[in-house]
Amino acid sequence: MAAKSDGAPVSLRNAIPPECPSRSDPRPPQRRPTEQRYTLSDCCWTLCALLVFFADGASDLWLAADYYLRKYYPQFVLTLVFVIVPSVVVQVLSFRWFAYDFSETVESGTAAAAVVAASGAAEQDISTKDSGERGAGRSAAAGVLPGPGTGGGARGCCRVFVWLFQALIHIFQLAQVWRYVHALYLGVQSRWHGDPERRHYYWRMMFESADISMLRLLESFLKSAPQLVLQLTIMIRANQVLPLQGLSASASLISLAWMISSYQKVLRDSRDDKLPMTYNAVIVQILWHLFTIGARTLAFALFASVFQLYFGIFIVAHWCIMTFWIIQGETDFCMSKWEEIIYNMMVGIVYIFCWFSVREGRTCCRMLIYSLSVFVENVALTTFWYLYRSTGERQSTSEFYAVAMVCVVASSYALGTFFMFVYYCLLHPDGAVSGWGYIVEKEVPVEALASPASSLPPDLVRMCYRKMWKVEGITGRERSGAVISQRQKVLLGEGASANPHQVVDNRDKPSTCMIIYGS
């Protein structure tokens, strides 16, 4: 753990003294290491994610070309649609995020000095302790920001070039590739530089990774999940498996399991109030989702092979119910109400196939309800297929084949549930109990909450909460100078002001910091 004197950012969570009483957990609170570095394992993980991305897309396109050459035109059209449409949707969303980030970066140069000055003024009003170290940290953080008013013509040309370059990247459907390469570049730069540049590049890499993980997660469930169901249905109806069909289905399933686990890891690693997830835990989580999603999609394919119309009605009904459930949870992810609704609709698609935590708090009850619902649906869909598999124009399947399919669905879901319990009972970063949504409540002195934005440079404070925690009550250019996030609201308590660099004195009331461990 780095000392304050070396200028390293010290998070509020790590600033909680160990002797703080815990009314809900007798164990001492776990602490996140203050120093975080980009490792070779992180680089290999990003490269593997890029490989999974290429394997998934290339196998689908190869299979579509094979269908066309075999003159299977309906299969060709459906396979190609599930490749192109999700990719276009994700490119639009990615460009929207780029436009927001880039506009904020342009404004950040003129606001950097104001942020540092406001931070300094607030700290002087509260306490003069460690003023030298804090001043050095602010100066270092401000040093990585672009200076205002210098080289206006050249900067304008550079901005035009960046806009043109990003437009071409997104037109050619390469936004994910570019973001992966950019994350690798930022990670390598964090290794080559010393403090404070190392911290600057590291946190930029973390939130770039969070962006690409969210984009890839949405793309996987908009493209890979329907593609997997489609190919499994074609194989079941034809009673044969072509090599390219098996390759495409396997790549889609691995992509789904990989991306949801990768997103959970990146989200935890990029948050200061969450303990990081080990790669052993990620591997177990991949196995958990691999088997549960495999059972889910196979049950879908079996039912769809007999009841195409009823399967469509079932999917739409399930999606509507899940979307309504998510909206009732009042998620807070996007920058506007309409974008929030669209995001909830996309997460509703994820909920068709697997569980995905979208808000803080206790997750045990919600996960139990969802798991029981999915289990009942899988049993019902498989049972209907087993009973009516010989109806219609389809050739009757043998009893052995039918029983084997039912056993595959049941055993796959059982294995997925087993790995889920292994993850939550043995490998969850917050421990076996807290991993199920256990809430730990700790008393924290007000002095520890003096500077909620001190753990990150000012430019990253603006950037990192743009999508993961929505900015409320601050509009226009004010966003460049003051940002308050949902996590900061939790840390500050009810008496927090709208300015993250100004703290209301609540010495008459105990300040309680609620650290929530979700999935």
Side-chain angles (χ1 to χ4, degrees):
M1 181 176 295
K4 288 186 178 182
S5 58
D6 63 1
V10 179
S11 66
L12 293 177
R13 188 165 182 264
N14 291 330
I16 298 175
E19 62 272 15
C20 286
S22 173
R23 293 195 295 267
S24 303
D25 191 356
R27 299 172 300 177
Q30 294 172 295
R31 296 189 173 196
R32 182 192 185 101
T34 303
E35 284 291 342
Q36 295 173 294
R37 294 186 178 275
Y38 190 73
T39 64
L40 181 61
S41 299
D42 297 330
C43 181
C44 293
W45 181 262
T46 305
L47 291 175
C48 289
L50 193 58
L51 180 62
V52 170
F53 168 76
F54 280 120
D56 187 21
S59 61
D60 292 340
L61 292 175
W62 192 4
L63 179 60
D66 184 70
Y67 281 146
Y68 182 81
L69 295 176
R70 293 173 181 268
K71 298 183 179 181
Y72 297 160
Y73 295 120
Q75 292 89 331
F76 161 73
V77 172
L78 289 174
T79 302
L80 200 60
V81 165
F82 284 133
V83 172
I84 296 177
V85 174
S87 180
V88 172
V89 171
V90 170
Q91 301 301 315
V92 172
L93 183 59
S94 174
F95 192 80
R96 169 74 175 94
W97 288 0
F98 157 74
Y100 184 91
D101 286 339
F102 191 69
S103 61
E104 290 296 299
T105 303
V106 171
E107 292 181 358
S108 66
T110 58
V115 172
V116 176
S119 173
E123 289 183 359
Q124 288 176 4
D125 292 339
I126 295 175
S127 175
T128 59
K129 183 180 179 180
D130 295 334
S131 59
E133 290 83 350
R134 290 186 181 128
R138 291 194 303 273
S139 300
V144 300
L145 296 172
T150 60
R155 293 170 66 86
C157 293
C158 289
R159 287 196 294 269
V160 172
F161 173 78
V162 170
W163 277 102
L164 180 60
F165 175 76
Q166 288 292 333
L168 291 175
I169 286 291
H170 287 79
I171 289 174
F172 287 104
Q173 310 295 298
L174 296 174
Q176 297 95 317
V177 178
W178 166 252
R179 288 180 179 272
Y180 273 127
V181 173
H182 190 217
L184 284 171
Y185 166 79
L186 294 173
V188 172
Q189 288 295 317
S190 70
R191 293 287 299 182
W192 286 353
H193 290 80
D195 292 335
E197 289 84 0
R198 181 191 63 80
R199 298 193 303 274
H200 170 76
Y201 282 112
Y202 179 83
W203 283 107
R204 285 184 60 191
M205 181 274 302
M206 285 304 308
F207 293 110
E208 182 69 41
S209 299
D211 282 356
I212 181 59
S213 296
M214 189 66 210
L215 291 172
R216 285 285 293 123
L217 181 70
L218 293 177
E219 184 185 37
S220 296
F221 281 94
L222 291 174
K223 181 185 74 172
S224 301
Q227 194 76 259
L228 178 59
V229 176
L230 173 64
Q231 303 309 325
L232 288 176
T233 304
I234 294 173
M235 288 186 280
I236 292 172
R237 289 181 62 85
N239 285 325
Q240 65 174 348
V241 179
L242 299 176
L244 286 179
Q245 288 176 332
L247 179 63
S248 175
S250 301
S252 298
L253 181 58
I254 293 173
S255 178
L256 288 167
W258 184 286
M259 288 319 305
I260 192 169
S261 303
S262 177
Y263 177 74
Q264 293 291 343
K265 173 175 173 54
V266 172
L267 184 60
R268 293 192 69 94
D269 292 349
S270 60
R271 291 185 55 173
D272 206 22
D273 59 336
K274 297 275 188 180
L275 292 176
M277 185 184 298
T278 64
Y279 284 105
N280 290 336
V282 176
I283 292 174
V284 171
Q285 200 176 86
I286 289 176
L287 294 174
W288 159 23
H289 294 299
L290 188 73
F291 287 108
T292 53
I293 295 176
R296 182 74 165 164
T297 52
L298 183 56
F300 283 170
L302 291 173
F303 185 79
S305 65
V306 179
F307 306 100
Q308 290 85 10
L309 177 60
Y310 291 114
F311 174 71
I313 295 174
F314 165 76
I315 290 295
V316 172
H318 184 92
W319 173 74
C320 291
I321 294 173
M322 292 295 104
T323 302
F324 179 76
W325 189 28
I326 296 167
I327 293 175
Q328 288 297 314
E330 298 180 352
T331 61
D332 196 13
F333 183 84
C334 298
M335 295 163 284
S336 66
K337 185 63 177 178
W338 287 108
E339 288 181 337
E340 192 72 34
I341 294 176
I342 295 174
Y343 165 75
N344 291 334
M345 294 170 65
M346 290 185 177
V347 176
I349 298 176
V350 178
Y351 270 50
I352 295 175
F353 299 92
C354 70
W355 164 259
F356 180 67
S357 181
V358 293
R359 65 186 178 93
E360 298 286 0
R362 302 178 67 88
T363 60
C364 179
C365 182
R366 284 177 286 152
M367 180 181 288
L368 181 61
I369 294 174
Y370 179 85
S371 300
L372 289 177
S373 301
V374 167
F375 175 76
V376 172
E377 290 175 354
N378 289 348
V379 171
L381 294 175
T382 308
T383 302
F384 276 113
W385 170 81
Y386 182 81
L387 296 176
Y388 297 96
R389 65 186 185 278
S390 300
T391 60
E393 299 178 357
R394 296 188 62 257
Q395 298 178 354
S396 60
T397 58
S398 64
E399 188 70 17
F400 175 79
Y401 174 81
V403 173
M405 287 290 99
V406 173
C407 291
V408 168
V409 174
S411 60
S412 179
Y413 191 79
L415 277 174
T417 305
F418 168 76
F419 283 112
M420 180 187 71
F421 279 105
V422 170
Y423 169 74
Y424 277 106
C425 295
L426 300 177
L427 296 173
H428 195 280
D430 297 328
V433 178
S434 57
W436 288 96
Y438 195 76
I439 299 181
V440 182
E441 189 175 275
K442 298 178 176 65
E443 297 292 338
V444 183
V446 177
E447 290 78 1
L449 307 177
S451 180
S454 62
S455 61
L456 291 177
D459 59 335
L460 295 175
V461 172
R462 282 187 301 275
M463 179 179 66
C464 65
Y465 302 121
R466 185 254 306 162
K467 288 179 288 299
M468 279 188 267
W469 300 279
K470 188 171 92 175
V471 177
E472 293 185 352
I474 301 173
T475 59
R477 299 183 66 88
E478 294 178 4
R479 280 197 297 258
S480 299
V483 169
I484 192 159
S485 66
Q486 296 299 325
R487 182 166 69 90
Q488 290 171 349
K489 290 178 182 178
V490 173
L491 290 173
L492 284 172
E494 296 181 356
S497 64
N499 188 342
H501 300 288
Q502 177 182 352
V503 176
V504 177
D505 193 351
N506 288 334
R507 298 174 190 272
D508 296 336
K509 298 184 296 181
S511 176
T512 302
C513 176
M514 298 290 294
I515 300 177
I516 304 174
Y517 299 108
S519 63

